[in-house]
Amino acid sequence: MLKKLFLLLVLVFPIINADAAKPKKEEPIEHLTEEQIYSELKKLALVFETARDNFVEEADERKMLEGAMNGMLSALDPHSSYLSKEDFKEFNDKSQGEFGGLGIQITSDKGAVRVISPIDDTPASKAGIKAGDYITRIDGEQVFDLTLNQAVKKMKGKPGTKVKLTIMREGEEAKTITLKRAIIKVKSIKYEEKEDAFSLDDEKAPKIGYIRISDFGATTTKELHDALKSLEKKKVAGYVLDLRNNPGGFLTAAIDVSDAFLDDGEIVSTRGKAKTDIERMFAKKGDLANGKPVVVLINHGSASASEIVAGALQDNGRAIIMGSKSFGKGSVQQQKPLGDGTAIHITIARYYTPSGRSIQNEGITPDVEVLQSKLEVLEKKESLFSEASFKNSLKNDASKKKDSKKEDKKTEDEEEDYLNLTDEEKDARDYQLQRAMDMVRAMSKMGQKNIENKSSDDKKEDSKKK
């Protein structure tokens, strides 16, 4: 089962960076003999003793040994690591839907710390941190060349205390922001019935079921079933499943989410070390969305379990995938407890979509690419060339003189800070969401026409028989 690695008080989701993960032609591994392994282990013990006895300051043996184990596992891949008792406990606390920290998922990238995505409604998201941002300093101290665990420990702290992060974003100057640590209560799903933000005729505009999944946790399946049950009662025309900036989570949750929209078909397969080590997961009978159109929104911050859902619905022809290419994290991690409260987190397999595509380093390519854009009105309310523009045109006796001050005030109001906008106004500015809703409506209308045409054809056939 896929598990996220939440270390200490900050949610961490290690991801392979693109450069490090590019396939390389390597020489076949020359395995050591038992005798050679024993000899190297003796050398490791000798290094430990020599370093402990000769280091200029008093050595911390536990820290040295944990570092050695972490180094051993990180040599395999960036996802594998050693979990101390504290790390292991906090991982399990997070799996129950609550943890302490900033609400930010990070990864190591070329010696720096890169943001995968902030979690909705957390200190990180409220501070405006975005997927792709780089954290270069923590409380003024540089993070370059620190291990991911070391960076995490510097961000850890008691809820209510503050931490300063220096953020770098492409095309912008570095900025330092102060965040207050908090207990993060993760609610995987938000849902609502959405209307067209630009519609002038509410009665004719079909309602869209909007479901936002921020991560795949222990409660995701139940929350999704509740959401679909509620939205189906409202007779929505179709669904937008928003997986943008969702870093993943439990494999079982990803399977359940996919299954909720499928009647049958393969969802995902995992393939391990041995050629015969293949496990396939299939959908059970029962589409909880009753066959209604589904558009899945993804972006560069959609990873792992998000990609499993997007790939399953795409390959089974159940949904249109829209947005930008996903992250490309297609490996499976599992915890192996060591019996003393510690554990190792290790990569055991790769994910494949139903058509046999590997997600690793490739990600999910959307059916319709829609990059997040700023909506801009290109056509003015009044043309420079119209009847009114002629010098001697007749005036309209009923027209009222415009108040230029009111017009200026209206323009200022429209440019207010995004954070102060209502949910409806934010929806109107979410270009990807608006295009997804348009697609659901179009698919719904096409489906209705097909039903009407089939009904008409059936009636004609019955008439011929008579």
Side-chain angles (χ1 to χ4, degrees):
M1 181 177 76
L2 175 63
K3 293 185 178 180
K4 289 178 290 184
L5 180 55
F6 298 105
L7 295 179
L8 306 176
L9 294 184
V10 180
L11 179 60
V12 177
F13 189 65
I15 307 290
I16 299 174
N17 70 62
D19 291 334
K22 286 180 180 177
K24 298 178 182 178
K25 290 186 177 179
E26 297 181 353
E27 295 295 325
I29 296 174
E30 293 184 9
H31 292 287
L32 300 178
T33 64
E34 292 296 322
E35 186 178 350
Q36 289 172 321
I37 292 173
Y38 181 70
S39 176
E40 291 299 313
L41 288 174
K42 284 177 63 179
K43 187 189 295 183
L44 178 63
L46 180 61
V47 169
F48 169 77
E49 291 176 359
T50 305
R52 180 191 58 184
D53 296 341
N54 291 276
F55 185 59
V56 66
E57 294 180 358
E58 187 175 0
D60 184 333
E61 293 92 347
R62 186 180 299 279
K63 185 177 180 180
M64 291 172 66
L65 291 170
E66 288 186 356
M69 289 183 282
N70 253 318
M72 183 189 302
L73 292 165
S74 64
L76 299 173
D77 78 331
H79 301 274
S80 301
S81 62
Y82 169 78
L83 298 179
S84 67
K85 289 182 179 180
E86 184 182 4
D87 297 339
F88 194 23
K89 181 181 181 301
E90 292 196 8
F91 180 97
N92 291 326
D93 289 344
K94 173 60 190 76
S95 69
Q96 299 305 314
E98 182 175 310
F99 65 100
L102 303 176
I104 182 174
Q105 288 114 356
I106 62 174
T107 184
S108 178
D109 186 7
K110 300 176 184 177
V113 173
R114 183 158 62 94
V115 176
I116 297 304
S117 68
I119 300 175
D120 296 345
D121 302 322
T122 63
S125 65
K126 291 175 182 177
I129 292 177
K130 297 181 179 180
D133 286 350
Y134 282 89
I135 299 172
T136 59
R137 290 177 181 270
I138 302 172
D139 283 333
E141 185 177 345
Q142 285 195 1
V143 300
F144 290 105
D145 296 325
L146 289 178
T147 66
L148 197 59
N149 286 358
Q150 288 171 332
V152 169
K153 286 179 181 178
K154 288 185 179 296
M155 285 186 272
K156 130 181 193 181
K158 185 179 179 181
T161 60
K162 296 179 180 180
V163 59
K164 289 183 179 180
L165 302 181
T166 300
I167 304 293
M168 287 194 69
R169 186 174 297 163
E170 187 175 355
E172 298 182 16
E173 294 290 329
K175 60 180 180 180
T176 299
I177 57 177
T178 301
L179 296 89
K180 184 181 288 187
R181 301 177 178 98
I183 294 295
I184 310 298
K185 294 183 178 180
V186 179
K187 184 173 177 60
S188 288
I189 289 178
K190 293 181 179 179
Y191 68 93
E192 62 179 301
E193 180 187 14
K194 285 191 179 291
E195 301 178 9
D196 189 342
F198 302 108
S199 176
L200 299 178
D201 189 347
D202 290 336
E203 291 184 2
K204 291 184 179 180
K207 304 299 191 296
I208 306 298
Y210 173 79
I211 301 175
R212 162 70 181 160
I213 306 181
S214 58
D215 79 334
F216 291 85
T219 62
T220 302
T221 300
K222 183 183 183 306
E223 289 179 36
L224 176 66
H225 287 194
D226 291 343
L228 286 169
K229 185 177 180 180
S230 174
L231 292 168
E232 280 298 290
K233 285 181 179 179
K234 297 179 180 179
K235 301 186 183 302
V236 295
Y239 293 90
V240 173
L241 185 62
D242 191 350
L243 301 180
R244 291 174 296 178
N245 294 323
N246 181 323
F250 294 166
L251 172 58
T252 50
I255 293 170
D256 290 342
V257 169
S258 303
D259 193 6
F261 294 96
L262 294 171
D263 250 336
D264 54 28
E266 184 176 315
I267 293 175
V268 67
S269 64
T270 60
R271 306 181 191 182
K273 190 173 187 178
K275 291 183 178 181
T276 56
D277 188 10
I278 300 176
E279 188 175 359
R280 300 181 185 278
M281 294 76 171
F282 294 88
K284 299 184 291 292
K285 189 73 176 175
D287 177 356
L288 300 184
N290 293 311
K292 292 177 181 176
V294 179
V295 171
V296 179
L297 277 177
I298 61 172
N299 65 1
H300 304 312
S302 305
S304 196
S306 299
E307 296 172 292
I308 290 172
V309 173
L313 299 185
Q314 184 180 54
D315 283 2
N316 281 287
R318 181 62 184 91
I320 296 292
I321 311 301
M322 186 178 283
S324 53
K325 195 171 184 178
S326 64
F327 195 87
K329 195 273 183 181
S331 58
V332 187
Q333 282 72 49
Q334 190 177 77
Q335 284 185 24
K336 302 285 187 182
L338 301 179
D340 62 347
T342 65
I344 63 170
H345 195 73
I346 190 165
T347 301
I348 60 168
R350 288 183 172 88
Y351 290 123
Y352 291 82
T353 69
S355 64
R357 293 178 294 159
S358 173
I359 295 171
Q360 183 63 30
N361 285 347
E362 293 297 327
I364 300 296
T365 301
D367 299 306
V368 181
E369 184 179 58
V370 178
L371 303 181
Q372 191 64 286
S373 306
K374 182 180 179 181
L375 197 61
E376 183 178 358
V377 177
L378 298 178
E379 185 178 6
K380 295 182 180 296
K381 288 185 178 181
E382 296 180 4
S383 172
L384 293 176
F385 184 74
S386 66
E387 175 68 17
S389 66
F390 289 109
K391 184 177 181 181
N392 296 321
S393 64
L394 297 176
K395 307 301 179 186
N396 188 319
D397 294 336
S399 67
K400 296 180 180 179
K401 189 175 181 180
K402 293 180 181 178
D403 189 334
S404 59
K405 291 184 178 180
K406 286 185 178 180
E407 290 294 320
D408 292 341
K409 179 66 169 61
K410 184 178 179 181
T411 301
E412 290 176 7
D413 290 342
E414 289 174 349
E415 295 175 352
E416 65 179 325
D417 188 0
Y418 180 80
L419 295 175
N420 295 325
L421 298 177
T422 64
D423 290 340
E424 289 76 13
E425 289 169 327
K426 288 179 180 179
D427 284 352
R429 293 192 182 191
D430 190 337
Y431 183 74
Q432 290 176 322
L433 175 59
Q434 291 302 322
R435 299 295 70 77
M437 292 171 66
D438 289 343
M439 178 66 76
V440 171
R441 291 191 186 96
M443 293 165 69
S444 177
K445 288 180 180 179
M446 288 180 64
Q448 188 60 41
K449 285 182 179 179
N450 288 337
I451 292 173
E452 291 172 358
N453 291 338
K454 187 178 185 305
S455 177
S456 178
D457 291 342
D458 290 343
K459 288 179 180 178
K460 289 180 181 177
E461 190 66 29
D462 290 341
S463 178
K464 286 180 182 179
K465 288 179 181 179
K466 290 178 180 178

